[in-house]
Structures are given as C-alpha cells and as structure tokens.
Amino acid sequence: MRLTDEQIERFSEDGFLILPERFSKAEVAVLRQAMARVFAQDSPADIREKGSGAVRTAMGLHQRDEVFARLVRHPRFVEPARQLAGGDLYVQQIKINVKAAFEGELWQWHYDFATHHADDGVPEPKALNLHVFLDDVTEFNGPLYFIRGSHKSGPAPAHHDTVSTSYPLWVVERETVAELAEAGGLVSATGPAGTALIFGDCLVHGSPPNFSPWDRAIFSLILNPVDNAYTRTDRPEHKHHRDLTPVTALDDDCLLQVLVG
Amino acid sequence: MRLTDEQIERFSEDGFLILPERFSKAEVAVLRQAMARVFAQDSPADIREKGSGAVRTAMGLHQRDEVFARLVRHPRFVEPARQLAGGDLYVQQIKINVKAAFEGELWQWHYDFATHHADDGVPEPKALNLHVFLDDVTEFNGPLYFIRGSHKSGPAPAHHDTVSTSYPLWVVERETVAELAEAGGLVSATGPAGTALIFGDCLVHGSPPNFSPWDRAIFSLILNPVDNAYTRTDRPEHKHHRDLTPVTALDDDCLLQVLVG
C-alpha cells in the first residue's frame, strides 16, 4: 500500500496521482451503505444545491458514521499521505461531494490552499486531498480536471467567488488558468468506483457539471501536517476539524471488518 | 467522398457518423478566416451569450460570405447527404456555434426535429445536420454528446425550455434521457479541427459548457429533403431558409479555389 519511488516522483512532477481501483468492490459497497446512512441524516454539516436542494456535500463524516471513522485511518490513505508529507497528519476535513445526475453544478478552477490559508490561517500548502470514487467516474458525469504541474509555481492568483455556484470559492484567474493549462495540459480524473486520487494543496483543478443521467459521488479526505495546523477557527468545525491528534493506520481490512464487527 | 455501405449501415444503427479530418488543415484555415469576417459583422442573425454578450451562434452564413456559400454546396457534404436522404435537399439552416473559453454554456438534451416540427411545420424527421470542427474538439471544451441509437424509437417526449440557456430549446424529458442512455450509451464527438459529423433529426444530443481555456467553434449545416419542406414561416428566415432550390455539389477543391479566385 506504500507508494513506489516512481509514484512519489510522479506526484512531485504532476501534482497528483490517480490510483485505479485502490478500493475493492466490496469496500465500495460498505462505503456506499454508509453514504446512504449519512445522507438520510439532516445535518448542518450538509451543503445543498442552489437549485434542487439536493445534498451536494456532506461533511464531518467521521463524527457521523463508524465506517467513515475507519476510512480516515485507512492504511491506503494514511501510509501514502505520511510518505508524501513526511510526518504526522490530522484530519482537516472529510466529506462526500455528490454531483447528482442532471443537477450537479460545476466547480470553477481553484486550488484548496487558497481557502485553507485565507479562511483557516494554514501557513503552508502542505495538506493532501485523498479521494475515493463511490461511483464510476467517466468523462460524462463531472470528473475532476487537473492542470498537470500547476502546483509547481506555488499558489496561483485567485479571487473570492461567491456568485457562480452554491459554495463560495477562491477562483483562479482566467489568464493564469490559460497559462498553466497551455504549459501542463488538462487531465480528466476518471476511473471505476474504488479508484483513489491524491493531490496537493496548490494543484489547480475544477470540474464540469453533471448533466448525464448518472450520479457521481466522491469521498474526499484532507489530511494536513500537525506542524502546519490552522491558526484561525472562523469556519465551522466540520469545515476544518480542531482535533490535532495524528491519524494512525488501522488494519488493511478495517472496512470489511465493519460487516462482522 | 461518398459514404461506404458500412458507414451507411452505421448511421442507420447509431444515428450519427464521426468522420475524422474530413477537411484539411488548409481548408480549415479558409473557413476560420471566413468565420472571422462574419463575426466582425453585427448581424441580427447572431445570437449572443446571456452573460458576456459574446457571439454564441452566427447564422445565415451562406448569405454573408462567399466561403460559406461554397461550403453548403461542398461535395463532402452534398454527396453523403444525398446518399442518406435519397433525393434533393435544400439549405434549411447554416450557422457556427461557438463555445467561448470559460464562457460557453451547455446545451440541454434535445433533438433538432422537435424544433423543426413545432416551429416550422416540417412533416418528418428527415433533415440531416452536418458539422465541421473549426477548432480541435476535446473532452474539455464542450463536445457534443450523442446518445447512441436514440433516434430509433422516433421523436422522444420533450418540453419547451426557455429558461436554462440563451436559446429556447425543446428539451427531452430526463426519464427518457436516462432510458436511452442506459440502452445505447453516450458518445463524445471529439476530434481535430476538420473532423466532420453527420447526424439525423431525431438523434438526442447535448453538450456541456466550455470552462476550459480553449475556444470551440463548430460549423453546422442542416439540409432537409425538398419534399419534406417547412409548412410554416413563423421563425425568421435565418433560422429556416425559404429557398427550396436543391443544393448541387461544387468541385472538391471549391474552398481552396477561393484563395486563387
């Protein structure tokens, strides 16, 4: 489950890794059942679509379901993250982003550090974003688009967009997007359910709306080095958790153990 | 330039043909120069984006520039269209659809016959839509998505949408889109500039917005059998031309002849 030297080098160059079918069909089934449970809750840690009112993002999941409490400590997340960060990490944010069939909105070009820095006072762009696809993600149902290598020149110029979508976002300037995309190209992060992604805090990414007839749910965990913790607590706790206890890895079968546990 | 039996069979089954690089780089250059000329005109036959005011669609092009007057009679359009329709055709509509970088809006799921029938009184879904890509079209800059085989059960249930985008459109019901897409799958019509598309009047298609940094212009010609002509003239002439003179093919080098002519 550890990353190879080649993968670490690729992460350094591209700013992301796509790890096809890192979680099994059985594990995805466990995660999807847990998703159904948390979506049935009516939580202030949910964000809904402007239009339909459907849940777009459900947050704080490790505090809402045992399966997600285990997933944040899954060795297939914790070990690669520790390799890349070189030390202890805490759970900064944990959520599921859904793009509902026909409804799911686009996400403008952005990088996560803009928010982490401006809103939470995170000093350096060292956080890692770890995803697991809970549906097959194709070119049609709103995949993430990465701008390859866009992390290399550091945080890009951005402005705070509170208008375009349901979620205020620090959006990268168009001129910068054009330059970065010409230089590195765009990569569409697609793959079957169970595929994992890892990307860094300065990687510029966005995603188109989902106007296909197929839902697209992705689990997302942000781990941040303990020595790079938040310095402000303006945002609600589910957007940046306060507990700096380092995550430690459970056993590799921790998700399937829920079924027998 | 004629279609093979295999291509005709495929068109019958799938409802569309993608013909990579059917027009050369030199021909695309001629077309792009003509596009620049018509876009510099301020014409009532232009449709602009709701947001930016940029030209989204420029229509009536064969009446606005000699290059497009030739393109509607290009043998690479006229001969395949006559093969598929089995007789004489007239120019129903001729336009360029632009999806500007960062700006271009989505087109909801629709098929052209809904408009041709409801607005122009075209009796049967026999018109053909012929495209040429004037930019490279990729998964990132708003390609057309076809629902394979969606033409086979005839005109799908649709409603008139005047809200979502800049152009009122007969939009196919979501339940129908889901059924058709499950049955036939989606196909993204991508390819380098010069690629041609041919699709029929009942084929359900749509396209995502272009939030990439790259423009996407596509030339579109609708040819309709003379014996299936409009029976109403409610729409302006540039949306459905009145002249029923059958198109006849020029020489294969008719576009490049403009340069020497």
Side-chain angles (χ1 to χ4, degrees):
Chain A
M1 290 306 126
R2 290 176 63 83
L3 300 174
T4 65
D5 288 349
E6 193 194 325
Q7 286 173 320
I8 292 171
E9 169 66 16
R10 195 141 36 91
F11 179 83
S12 166
E13 282 300 306
D14 295 346
F16 63 89
L17 287 172
I18 300 174
L19 305 166
E21 298 177 79
R22 195 75 161 183
F23 291 83
S24 71
K25 285 192 171 29
E27 289 169 324
V28 169
V30 169
L31 294 173
R32 289 184 58 89
Q33 284 161 14
M35 173 171 73
R37 287 194 295 272
V38 297
F39 276 50
Q41 301 165 359
D42 189 9
S43 166
D46 291 337
I47 295 161
R48 293 170 185 276
E49 298 278 358
K50 264 184 183 172
S52 67
V55 174
R56 171 187 175 127
T57 305
M59 305 181 91
L61 302 180
H62 62 324
Q63 298 168 338
R64 296 168 63 178
D65 197 281
E66 168 65 13
V67 165
F68 295 116
R70 293 182 182 212
L71 185 55
V72 300
R73 297 179 56 198
H74 201 288
R76 279 172 248 161
F77 279 152
V78 175
E79 288 180 11
R82 288 186 57 92
Q83 280 181 280
L84 294 171
D88 287 337
L89 301 132
Y90 69 97
V91 174
Q92 174 173 328
Q93 192 183 80
I94 167 175
K95 61 182 180 287
I96 291 174
N97 278 326
V98 172
K99 280 195 184 162
F102 297 110
E103 294 281 349
E105 297 173 359
L106 69 78
W107 290 79
Q108 303 285 355
W109 296 108
H110 71 285
Y111 55 96
D112 298 351
F113 180 66
T115 299
H116 302 164
H117 187 65
D119 293 1
D120 306 328
V122 169
E124 299 289 333
K126 293 179 177 172
L128 294 168
N129 202 326
L130 304 114
H131 285 190
V132 186
F133 296 174
L134 303 181
D135 288 298
D136 296 343
V137 178
T138 72
E139 63 185 312
F140 299 114
N141 64 355
L144 271 75
Y145 294 164
F146 294 136
I147 305 183
R148 193 193 296 274
S150 55
H151 62 302
K152 284 190 140 178
S153 42
H159 64 274
H160 203 217
D161 176 4
T162 55
V163 176
S164 300
T165 60
S166 306
Y167 196 101
L169 201 64
W170 289 89
V171 169
V172 177
E173 306 294 347
R174 288 182 176 183
E175 192 176 282
T176 307
V177 170
E179 281 168 18
L180 293 170
E182 279 302 327
L186 300 183
V187 175
S188 179
T190 59
T195 295
L197 307 177
I198 306 178
F199 58 96
D201 222 20
C202 276
L203 187 76
V204 179
H205 58 285
S207 66
N210 181 9
F211 87 119
S212 86
W214 301 300
D215 288 335
R216 191 228 70 170
I218 298 181
F219 172 86
S220 158
L221 167 66
I222 297 173
L223 296 178
N224 189 34
V226 173
D227 61 12
N228 187 49
Y230 59 91
T231 58
R232 291 211 308 277
T233 53
D234 301 345
R235 294 203 297 170
E237 204 260 344
H238 61 265
K239 292 194 176 175
H240 197 129
H241 293 287
R242 315 293 191 232
D243 181 356
L244 298 182
T245 308
V247 283
T248 52
L250 298 173
D251 290 339
D252 194 67
D253 64 349
C254 59
L255 294 178
L256 300 179
Q257 284 299 330
V258 173
L259 300 174
V260 296
Chain B
M1 289 307 126
R2 291 176 61 84
L3 300 175
T4 64
D5 289 349
E6 193 195 325
Q7 286 173 320
I8 292 172
E9 170 66 17
R10 193 141 36 92
F11 179 84
S12 166
E13 282 300 306
D14 295 346
F16 62 90
L17 288 172
I18 300 174
L19 305 166
E21 298 176 80
R22 196 76 161 182
F23 290 83
S24 70
K25 284 192 169 30
E27 289 170 324
V28 168
V30 169
L31 294 173
R32 289 184 59 89
Q33 285 161 14
M35 172 171 72
R37 286 193 296 272
V38 297
F39 276 51
Q41 301 164 359
D42 188 9
S43 166
D46 292 337
I47 295 161
R48 292 170 185 276
E49 298 277 358
K50 264 184 182 171
S52 68
V55 173
R56 171 187 176 130
T57 305
M59 305 181 93
L61 303 180
H62 62 324
Q63 298 168 338
R64 296 167 64 178
D65 197 280
E66 168 64 15
V67 165
F68 295 117
R70 292 183 182 210
L71 185 56
V72 299
R73 297 179 57 196
H74 201 289
R76 280 172 247 161
F77 279 153
V78 174
E79 288 180 11
R82 288 186 57 93
Q83 280 180 280
L84 295 171
D88 287 338
L89 301 132
Y90 69 98
V91 175
Q92 174 174 328
Q93 191 183 80
I94 167 174
K95 62 183 180 286
I96 290 174
N97 279 327
V98 173
K99 280 196 184 159
F102 297 111
E103 295 280 349
E105 297 172 359
L106 70 78
W107 290 79
Q108 302 284 355
W109 296 108
H110 71 285
Y111 55 96
D112 298 351
F113 180 65
T115 299
H116 302 164
H117 187 64
D119 292 2
D120 306 328
V122 170
E124 298 290 333
K126 293 179 176 171
L128 295 167
N129 202 327
L130 304 114
H131 285 190
V132 185
F133 296 175
L134 303 181
D135 288 298
D136 296 343
V137 178
T138 72
E139 64 187 309
F140 299 114
N141 64 355
L144 271 76
Y145 295 164
F146 293 137
I147 305 183
R148 193 192 295 274
S150 55
H151 62 303
K152 285 189 140 180
S153 41
H159 65 274
H160 204 219
D161 176 5
T162 56
V163 176
S164 301
T165 60
S166 306
Y167 196 102
L169 200 63
W170 288 90
V171 169
V172 177
E173 306 294 347
R174 288 181 176 183
E175 193 176 284
T176 307
V177 169
E179 279 168 20
L180 293 170
E182 279 302 328
L186 299 184
V187 175
S188 179
T190 59
T195 295
L197 307 177
I198 307 177
F199 59 96
D201 223 20
C202 276
L203 187 76
V204 180
H205 58 285
S207 66
N210 180 10
F211 87 120
S212 85
W214 300 300
D215 288 336
R216 190 229 70 170
I218 298 181
F219 171 86
S220 158
L221 167 65
I222 297 174
L223 296 177
N224 189 34
V226 173
D227 62 11
N228 187 49
Y230 60 90
T231 58
R232 291 210 308 276
T233 54
D234 301 346
R235 294 203 296 169
E237 204 262 343
H238 62 264
K239 292 195 175 175
H240 197 128
H241 294 287
R242 315 293 190 231
D243 181 356
L244 298 181
T245 308
V247 282
T248 52
L250 298 172
D251 290 339
D252 195 67
D253 64 350
C254 59
L255 294 178
L256 300 178
Q257 283 299 327
V258 173
L259 300 174
V260 295

